């Protein structure tokens, strides 16, 4: 993850000198819902620039994963609500115990930073708009009714509320849409909005509106469709404008690395860095083989099997697997014992000269003495691409489809994975949702422990880190053992 050691400032007004006077104004957010029309023209620290964008990206990445996993809207809404509570809280104005203006300012800033990151290609813009629209809908449906109505009144959606005379004119057609009339068919209390049909093409396609002379008569229950279409169109136009202006920022090296990191967030989600043992217990060298067979994700299982077969791993393989084991709970002494036993075809002198230093270095005991974290799914997917004879990388991305299917069946068939399950896993791989495929394999192989489809590694969350996968698998097994003892 990109870290910033200095507290430096970024001033958006420098991108557009004509608007520099706007930076003197403080943004005031009257509503919880936001179409993000006004840019945040004020100074922010680079720490905040990155922090609030990452918080928002975690939510959007989980929304994208939900689409890839074909979750129902209610499931997506539930997962997104939990993610927002943890990373992107946004309370209504009636919440008296929180600083709602600070929450809305952070939400506003994060959105505009991600605009800069995701405006760079048509595919990124499309995915960003889809995820942002879903987030807006979740907030819209959970918003305070009165506040939501005031928000709608504050904007021009180019709709006209249909009067009673016009409702009376189309009684038969409107009753076909489910509009309830009085017994004498003279009046209805249900609201009806008239808009140009191009504003609601989805409702026209589903035949949920009445069409007359290019106008669509939209029942109040379908009002959200008008709002969402307006939100999408507004954001699409804004992203196009941002894409044309982004070249002004390319010379600022403080930002390009952050934005490039952000734009990869949809590939494998956004993982928190793991820096401590995830099992809660220290593991020994002689436990690794058994743990690998029961709890490791496919990337680490493949590295372990290559190590056991060849009695050697190349540099990037040792780095990926060694850091994973360190964070899993393997101490420095046990790590040296594990690698010495694994490299059994080497003499002690050769092992000590060529490999022992690197093991100690990864634990922060040599060199610059940094405590290196284990690699996340995003880092494994996007850095150090494996060559023909390498074992590192992500099998879901770097294996040929036939080899991947063979490997999955050979590795996990004893844990419940069948050839029938492969079709769904391979579909997500083909669509480029590699961490979603890994999450689905986790659900299948832990189904006997009560993990259901859609549960992920807990509360619907997708796998974004190999240690996250292993830790949850070990936790589930411990819970089962505890239940068995109680029984």
């Amino acid at each position: 993850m990109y870290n910033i050691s200095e507290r430096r400032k970024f001033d958006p007004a420098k991108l557009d000198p004509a608007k520099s006077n706007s930076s003197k104004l403080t943004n005031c957010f009257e509503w919880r819902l936001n179409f993000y029309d006004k840019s945040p023209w004020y100074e922010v620290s680079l720490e905040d620039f990155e922090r609030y964008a990452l918080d928002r990206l975690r939510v959007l990445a989980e929304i994208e994963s939900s689409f890839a996993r074909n979750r129902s809207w209610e499931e997506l809404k539930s997962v997104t609500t939990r993610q927002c509570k943890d990373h992107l809280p946004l309370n209504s104005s009636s919440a008296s115990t929180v600083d709602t203006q600070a929450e809305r300012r952070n939400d506003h800033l994060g959105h505009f930073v991600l605009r800069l990151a995701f405006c760079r290609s048509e595919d990124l813009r499309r995915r960003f708009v889809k995820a942002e629209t879903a987030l807006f809908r979740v907030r819209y449906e959970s918003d305070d009714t009165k506040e939501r109505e005031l928000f709608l009144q504050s904007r021009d959606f180019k709709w006209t509320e249909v009067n009673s005379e016009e409702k009376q004119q189309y009684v038969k057609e409107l009753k076909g849409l489910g509009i309830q009339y009085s017994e004498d068919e003279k009046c209805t209390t249900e609201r009806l909005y008239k808009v140009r049909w191009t504003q609601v093409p989805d409702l026209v396609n589903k035949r949920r509106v009445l069409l007359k002379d290019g106008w669509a008569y939209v029942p109040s229950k379908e009002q959200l469709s008008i709002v969402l279409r307006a939100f999408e169109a507004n954001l699409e136009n804004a992203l196009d404008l941002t894409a044309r202006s982004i070249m002004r920022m390319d010379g600022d090296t403080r930002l390009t690395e952050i934005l490039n990191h952000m734009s990869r967030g949809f590939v494998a989600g956004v993982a928190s860095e793991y820096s401590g043992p995830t099992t809660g217990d220290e593991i020994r060298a002689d436990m690794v083989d058994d743990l690998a067979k029961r709890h490791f994700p496919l990337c680490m299982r493949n590295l372990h099997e290559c190590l056991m077969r060849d009695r050697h791993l190349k540099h990037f393989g040792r780095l990926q697997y060694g850091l994973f084991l360190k964070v899993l709970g393997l101490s420095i002494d046990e790590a040296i014992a594990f690698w010495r036993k694994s490299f059994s075809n080497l003499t002690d002198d050769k092992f000590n000269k060529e490999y022992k230093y690197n093991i100690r270095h990864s634990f922060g005991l040599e060199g610059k003495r940094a405590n290196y974290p284990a690699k996340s799914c995003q880092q494994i997917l996007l850095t150090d691409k494996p060559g023909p004879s390498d074992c590192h990388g992500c099998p879901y991305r770097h294996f040929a489809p036939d080899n991947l299917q063979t490997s999955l069946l050979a590795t996990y068939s004893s844990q419940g994975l069948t050839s029938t399950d492969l079709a769904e896993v391979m579909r997500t791989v083909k669509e480029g949702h590699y961490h979603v495929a890994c999450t689905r394999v986790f659900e299948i192989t832990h189904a006997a422990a009560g993990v259901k489809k859609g549960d992920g590694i807990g509360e619907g969350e997708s796998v974004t880190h190999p240690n996250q996968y292993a830790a949850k698998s070990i936790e589930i097994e411990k819970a089962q053992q505890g239940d068995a003892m109680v029984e």
Side-chain angles (χ1 to χ4, degrees), residues 148-168:
R148 182 172 62 204
E149 189 62 31
L150 290 172
F151 167 77
L152 294 178
Q153 292 173 11
S154 71
R155 300 191 61 85
D156 180 14
F157 289 98
K158 295 182 172 59
W159 63 39
T160 304
E161 190 166 347
V162 180
N163 57 37
S164 57
E165 289 78 10
E166 205 166 359
K167 291 177 185 177
Q168 186 63 28

PDB file of all heavy atoms in Angstrom, residues 148-168:
ATOM      1  N   ARG A 148     -35.249  12.739   2.374  1.00  0.00           N
ATOM      2  CA  ARG A 148     -35.184  12.326   0.969  1.00  0.00           C
ATOM      3  C   ARG A 148     -36.105  13.179   0.111  1.00  0.00           C
ATOM      4  O   ARG A 148     -35.748  13.599  -0.995  1.00  0.00           O
ATOM      5  CB  ARG A 148     -35.552  10.849   0.844  1.00  0.00           C
ATOM      6  CG  ARG A 148     -35.465  10.305  -0.581  1.00  0.00           C
ATOM      7  CD  ARG A 148     -35.657   8.800  -0.567  1.00  0.00           C
ATOM      8  NE  ARG A 148     -36.957   8.437  -0.059  1.00  0.00           N
ATOM      9  CZ  ARG A 148     -37.234   7.255   0.496  1.00  0.00           C
ATOM     10  NH1 ARG A 148     -36.280   6.353   0.648  1.00  0.00           N
ATOM     11  NH2 ARG A 148     -38.448   6.992   0.915  1.00  0.00           N
ATOM     12  N   GLU A 149     -37.305  13.453   0.607  1.00  0.00           N
ATOM     13  CA  GLU A 149     -38.255  14.276  -0.133  1.00  0.00           C
ATOM     14  C   GLU A 149     -37.727  15.702  -0.309  1.00  0.00           C
ATOM     15  O   GLU A 149     -37.851  16.292  -1.396  1.00  0.00           O
ATOM     16  CB  GLU A 149     -39.601  14.296   0.602  1.00  0.00           C
ATOM     17  CG  GLU A 149     -40.735  14.944  -0.174  1.00  0.00           C
ATOM     18  CD  GLU A 149     -41.058  14.221  -1.467  1.00  0.00           C
ATOM     19  OE1 GLU A 149     -40.878  12.985  -1.541  1.00  0.00           O
ATOM     20  OE2 GLU A 149     -41.484  14.901  -2.424  1.00  0.00           O
ATOM     21  N   LEU A 150     -37.115  16.250   0.718  1.00  0.00           N
ATOM     22  CA  LEU A 150     -36.539  17.589   0.617  1.00  0.00           C
ATOM     23  C   LEU A 150     -35.379  17.620  -0.377  1.00  0.00           C
ATOM     24  O   LEU A 150     -35.204  18.591  -1.127  1.00  0.00           O
ATOM     25  CB  LEU A 150     -36.066  18.059   1.985  1.00  0.00           C
ATOM     26  CG  LEU A 150     -37.174  18.374   3.012  1.00  0.00           C
ATOM     27  CD1 LEU A 150     -36.565  18.628   4.381  1.00  0.00           C
ATOM     28  CD2 LEU A 150     -38.004  19.575   2.557  1.00  0.00           C
ATOM     29  N   PHE A 151     -34.593  16.554  -0.387  1.00  0.00           N
ATOM     30  CA  PHE A 151     -33.500  16.464  -1.356  1.00  0.00           C
ATOM     31  C   PHE A 151     -34.042  16.456  -2.784  1.00  0.00           C
ATOM     32  O   PHE A 151     -33.523  17.161  -3.662  1.00  0.00           O
ATOM     33  CB  PHE A 151     -32.671  15.200  -1.100  1.00  0.00           C
ATOM     34  CG  PHE A 151     -31.733  14.858  -2.226  1.00  0.00           C
ATOM     35  CD1 PHE A 151     -30.547  15.566  -2.392  1.00  0.00           C
ATOM     36  CD2 PHE A 151     -32.033  13.835  -3.118  1.00  0.00           C
ATOM     37  CE1 PHE A 151     -29.682  15.263  -3.436  1.00  0.00           C
ATOM     38  CE2 PHE A 151     -31.171  13.524  -4.160  1.00  0.00           C
ATOM     39  CZ  PHE A 151     -29.994  14.241  -4.321  1.00  0.00           C
ATOM     40  N   LEU A 152     -35.092  15.673  -3.028  1.00  0.00           N
ATOM     41  CA  LEU A 152     -35.674  15.602  -4.371  1.00  0.00           C
ATOM     42  C   LEU A 152     -36.231  16.956  -4.798  1.00  0.00           C
ATOM     43  O   LEU A 152     -36.128  17.344  -5.966  1.00  0.00           O
ATOM     44  CB  LEU A 152     -36.765  14.539  -4.409  1.00  0.00           C
ATOM     45  CG  LEU A 152     -36.300  13.083  -4.206  1.00  0.00           C
ATOM     46  CD1 LEU A 152     -37.502  12.144  -4.214  1.00  0.00           C
ATOM     47  CD2 LEU A 152     -35.293  12.669  -5.267  1.00  0.00           C
ATOM     48  N   GLN A 153     -36.824  17.662  -3.859  1.00  0.00           N
ATOM     49  CA  GLN A 153     -37.371  18.976  -4.168  1.00  0.00           C
ATOM     50  C   GLN A 153     -36.275  20.000  -4.472  1.00  0.00           C
ATOM     51  O   GLN A 153     -36.521  20.994  -5.169  1.00  0.00           O
ATOM     52  CB  GLN A 153     -38.230  19.473  -3.006  1.00  0.00           C
ATOM     53  CG  GLN A 153     -39.517  18.689  -2.796  1.00  0.00           C
ATOM     54  CD  GLN A 153     -40.254  19.107  -1.534  1.00  0.00           C
ATOM     55  OE1 GLN A 153     -39.918  20.118  -0.908  1.00  0.00           O
ATOM     56  NE2 GLN A 153     -41.256  18.330  -1.146  1.00  0.00           N
ATOM     57  N   SER A 154     -35.066  19.745  -3.970  1.00  0.00           N
ATOM     58  CA  SER A 154     -33.972  20.704  -4.169  1.00  0.00           C
ATOM     59  C   SER A 154     -33.336  20.606  -5.548  1.00  0.00           C
ATOM     60  O   SER A 154     -32.533  21.459  -5.920  1.00  0.00           O
ATOM     61  CB  SER A 154     -32.895  20.489  -3.101  1.00  0.00           C
ATOM     62  OG  SER A 154     -32.193  19.272  -3.335  1.00  0.00           O
ATOM     63  N   ARG A 155     -33.700  19.571  -6.312  1.00  0.00           N
ATOM     64  CA  ARG A 155     -33.099  19.373  -7.633  1.00  0.00           C
ATOM     65  C   ARG A 155     -34.174  19.397  -8.718  1.00  0.00           C
ATOM     66  O   ARG A 155     -35.342  19.090  -8.459  1.00  0.00           O
ATOM     67  CB  ARG A 155     -32.346  18.040  -7.697  1.00  0.00           C
ATOM     68  CG  ARG A 155     -31.206  17.909  -6.703  1.00  0.00           C
ATOM     69  CD  ARG A 155     -30.370  16.691  -7.029  1.00  0.00           C
ATOM     70  NE  ARG A 155     -29.771  16.784  -8.342  1.00  0.00           N
ATOM     71  CZ  ARG A 155     -28.617  17.394  -8.613  1.00  0.00           C
ATOM     72  NH1 ARG A 155     -27.936  17.975  -7.636  1.00  0.00           N
ATOM     73  NH2 ARG A 155     -28.135  17.429  -9.844  1.00  0.00           N
ATOM     74  N   ASP A 156     -33.735  19.708  -9.930  1.00  0.00           N
ATOM     75  CA  ASP A 156     -34.649  19.716 -11.072  1.00  0.00           C
ATOM     76  C   ASP A 156     -34.464  18.421 -11.858  1.00  0.00           C
ATOM     77  O   ASP A 156     -33.484  18.254 -12.588  1.00  0.00           O
ATOM     78  CB  ASP A 156     -34.359  20.923 -11.969  1.00  0.00           C
ATOM     79  CG  ASP A 156     -35.296  20.969 -13.173  1.00  0.00           C
ATOM     80  OD1 ASP A 156     -36.307  20.243 -13.165  1.00  0.00           O
ATOM     81  OD2 ASP A 156     -35.006  21.738 -14.119  1.00  0.00           O
ATOM     82  N   PHE A 157     -35.412  17.505 -11.690  1.00  0.00           N
ATOM     83  CA  PHE A 157     -35.356  16.234 -12.403  1.00  0.00           C
ATOM     84  C   PHE A 157     -36.152  16.263 -13.708  1.00  0.00           C
ATOM     85  O   PHE A 157     -36.371  15.223 -14.326  1.00  0.00           O
ATOM     86  CB  PHE A 157     -35.871  15.106 -11.509  1.00  0.00           C
ATOM     87  CG  PHE A 157     -34.935  14.762 -10.381  1.00  0.00           C
ATOM     88  CD1 PHE A 157     -35.143  15.274  -9.116  1.00  0.00           C
ATOM     89  CD2 PHE A 157     -33.837  13.952 -10.594  1.00  0.00           C
ATOM     90  CE1 PHE A 157     -34.280  14.969  -8.066  1.00  0.00           C
ATOM     91  CE2 PHE A 157     -32.970  13.642  -9.562  1.00  0.00           C
ATOM     92  CZ  PHE A 157     -33.189  14.154  -8.290  1.00  0.00           C
ATOM     93  N   LYS A 158     -36.618  17.446 -14.082  1.00  0.00           N
ATOM     94  CA  LYS A 158     -37.362  17.628 -15.329  1.00  0.00           C
ATOM     95  C   LYS A 158     -38.603  16.735 -15.378  1.00  0.00           C
ATOM     96  O   LYS A 158     -38.929  16.149 -16.411  1.00  0.00           O
ATOM     97  CB  LYS A 158     -36.459  17.357 -16.541  1.00  0.00           C
ATOM     98  CG  LYS A 158     -35.325  18.367 -16.675  1.00  0.00           C
ATOM     99  CD  LYS A 158     -34.484  18.090 -17.903  1.00  0.00           C
ATOM    100  CE  LYS A 158     -33.475  19.199 -18.151  1.00  0.00           C
ATOM    101  NZ  LYS A 158     -32.548  19.422 -17.034  1.00  0.00           N
ATOM    102  N   TRP A 159     -39.253  16.627 -14.237  1.00  0.00           N
ATOM    103  CA  TRP A 159     -40.527  15.911 -14.216  1.00  0.00           C
ATOM    104  C   TRP A 159     -41.654  16.884 -13.860  1.00  0.00           C
ATOM    105  O   TRP A 159     -41.434  17.916 -13.237  1.00  0.00           O
ATOM    106  CB  TRP A 159     -40.504  14.709 -13.265  1.00  0.00           C
ATOM    107  CG  TRP A 159     -40.283  15.021 -11.807  1.00  0.00           C
ATOM    108  CD1 TRP A 159     -40.767  16.059 -11.076  1.00  0.00           C
ATOM    109  CD2 TRP A 159     -39.505  14.241 -10.885  1.00  0.00           C
ATOM    110  NE1 TRP A 159     -40.375  15.988  -9.773  1.00  0.00           N
ATOM    111  CE2 TRP A 159     -39.594  14.887  -9.622  1.00  0.00           C
ATOM    112  CE3 TRP A 159     -38.788  13.067 -10.989  1.00  0.00           C
ATOM    113  CZ2 TRP A 159     -38.963  14.379  -8.488  1.00  0.00           C
ATOM    114  CZ3 TRP A 159     -38.157  12.571  -9.861  1.00  0.00           C
ATOM    115  CH2 TRP A 159     -38.249  13.222  -8.636  1.00  0.00           C
ATOM    116  N   THR A 160     -42.847  16.543 -14.274  1.00  0.00           N
ATOM    117  CA  THR A 160     -44.044  17.324 -13.964  1.00  0.00           C
ATOM    118  C   THR A 160     -45.033  16.415 -13.265  1.00  0.00           C
ATOM    119  O   THR A 160     -45.338  15.322 -13.773  1.00  0.00           O
ATOM    120  CB  THR A 160     -44.680  17.897 -15.242  1.00  0.00           C
ATOM    121  OG1 THR A 160     -43.708  18.668 -15.944  1.00  0.00           O
ATOM    122  CG2 THR A 160     -45.888  18.756 -14.906  1.00  0.00           C
ATOM    123  N   GLU A 161     -45.531  16.854 -12.119  1.00  0.00           N
ATOM    124  CA  GLU A 161     -46.510  16.019 -11.426  1.00  0.00           C
ATOM    125  C   GLU A 161     -47.846  16.119 -12.153  1.00  0.00           C
ATOM    126  O   GLU A 161     -48.326  17.218 -12.455  1.00  0.00           O
ATOM    127  CB  GLU A 161     -46.658  16.453  -9.973  1.00  0.00           C
ATOM    128  CG  GLU A 161     -47.484  15.466  -9.156  1.00  0.00           C
ATOM    129  CD  GLU A 161     -47.361  15.688  -7.660  1.00  0.00           C
ATOM    130  OE1 GLU A 161     -46.462  16.442  -7.234  1.00  0.00           O
ATOM    131  OE2 GLU A 161     -48.173  15.096  -6.923  1.00  0.00           O
ATOM    132  N   VAL A 162     -48.416  14.970 -12.466  1.00  0.00           N
ATOM    133  CA  VAL A 162     -49.650  14.902 -13.251  1.00  0.00           C
ATOM    134  C   VAL A 162     -50.838  15.328 -12.389  1.00  0.00           C
ATOM    135  O   VAL A 162     -50.994  14.852 -11.256  1.00  0.00           O
ATOM    136  CB  VAL A 162     -49.855  13.472 -13.798  1.00  0.00           C
ATOM    137  CG1 VAL A 162     -51.158  13.390 -14.615  1.00  0.00           C
ATOM    138  CG2 VAL A 162     -48.661  13.048 -14.642  1.00  0.00           C
ATOM    139  N   ASN A 163     -51.667  16.223 -12.915  1.00  0.00           N
ATOM    140  CA  ASN A 163     -52.825  16.699 -12.158  1.00  0.00           C
ATOM    141  C   ASN A 163     -53.991  15.716 -12.270  1.00  0.00           C
ATOM    142  O   ASN A 163     -53.967  14.769 -13.062  1.00  0.00           O
ATOM    143  CB  ASN A 163     -53.246  18.098 -12.617  1.00  0.00           C
ATOM    144  CG  ASN A 163     -53.559  18.147 -14.108  1.00  0.00           C
ATOM    145  OD1 ASN A 163     -54.123  17.202 -14.668  1.00  0.00           O
ATOM    146  ND2 ASN A 163     -53.202  19.242 -14.763  1.00  0.00           N
ATOM    147  N   SER A 164     -55.029  15.949 -11.491  1.00  0.00           N
ATOM    148  CA  SER A 164     -56.170  15.027 -11.425  1.00  0.00           C
ATOM    149  C   SER A 164     -56.912  14.919 -12.752  1.00  0.00           C
ATOM    150  O   SER A 164     -57.393  13.842 -13.106  1.00  0.00           O
ATOM    151  CB  SER A 164     -57.130  15.459 -10.310  1.00  0.00           C
ATOM    152  OG  SER A 164     -57.557  16.791 -10.516  1.00  0.00           O
ATOM    153  N   GLU A 165     -56.997  16.032 -13.502  1.00  0.00           N
ATOM    154  CA  GLU A 165     -57.707  15.987 -14.789  1.00  0.00           C
ATOM    155  C   GLU A 165     -57.005  15.037 -15.757  1.00  0.00           C
ATOM    156  O   GLU A 165     -57.654  14.243 -16.469  1.00  0.00           O
ATOM    157  CB  GLU A 165     -57.781  17.387 -15.408  1.00  0.00           C
ATOM    158  CG  GLU A 165     -58.706  18.357 -14.706  1.00  0.00           C
ATOM    159  CD  GLU A 165     -58.095  18.931 -13.433  1.00  0.00           C
ATOM    160  OE1 GLU A 165     -56.877  18.716 -13.214  1.00  0.00           O
ATOM    161  OE2 GLU A 165     -58.824  19.595 -12.664  1.00  0.00           O
ATOM    162  N   GLU A 166     -55.686  15.097 -15.784  1.00  0.00           N
ATOM    163  CA  GLU A 166     -54.946  14.227 -16.700  1.00  0.00           C
ATOM    164  C   GLU A 166     -54.996  12.772 -16.232  1.00  0.00           C
ATOM    165  O   GLU A 166     -55.038  11.846 -17.050  1.00  0.00           O
ATOM    166  CB  GLU A 166     -53.490  14.716 -16.790  1.00  0.00           C
ATOM    167  CG  GLU A 166     -52.819  14.308 -18.081  1.00  0.00           C
ATOM    168  CD  GLU A 166     -51.530  15.064 -18.326  1.00  0.00           C
ATOM    169  OE1 GLU A 166     -51.172  15.930 -17.497  1.00  0.00           O
ATOM    170  OE2 GLU A 166     -50.865  14.784 -19.347  1.00  0.00           O
ATOM    171  N   LYS A 167     -55.010  12.572 -14.931  1.00  0.00           N
ATOM    172  CA  LYS A 167     -55.153  11.205 -14.410  1.00  0.00           C
ATOM    173  C   LYS A 167     -56.499  10.616 -14.823  1.00  0.00           C
ATOM    174  O   LYS A 167     -56.614   9.431 -15.141  1.00  0.00           O
ATOM    175  CB  LYS A 167     -55.031  11.197 -12.880  1.00  0.00           C
ATOM    176  CG  LYS A 167     -53.647  11.504 -12.334  1.00  0.00           C
ATOM    177  CD  LYS A 167     -53.685  11.530 -10.813  1.00  0.00           C
ATOM    178  CE  LYS A 167     -52.359  11.963 -10.220  1.00  0.00           C
ATOM    179  NZ  LYS A 167     -52.411  12.069  -8.743  1.00  0.00           N
ATOM    180  N   GLN A 168     -57.524  11.451 -14.806  1.00  0.00           N
ATOM    181  CA  GLN A 168     -58.860  11.004 -15.167  1.00  0.00           C
ATOM    182  C   GLN A 168     -58.949  10.656 -16.648  1.00  0.00           C
ATOM    183  O   GLN A 168     -59.707   9.784 -17.058  1.00  0.00           O
ATOM    184  CB  GLN A 168     -59.878  12.110 -14.830  1.00  0.00           C
ATOM    185  CG  GLN A 168     -61.336  11.723 -15.019  1.00  0.00           C
ATOM    186  CD  GLN A 168     -61.762  10.584 -14.102  1.00  0.00           C
ATOM    187  OE1 GLN A 168     -61.201  10.414 -13.025  1.00  0.00           O
ATOM    188  NE2 GLN A 168     -62.730   9.789 -14.544  1.00  0.00           N
TER     189      GLN A 168
END
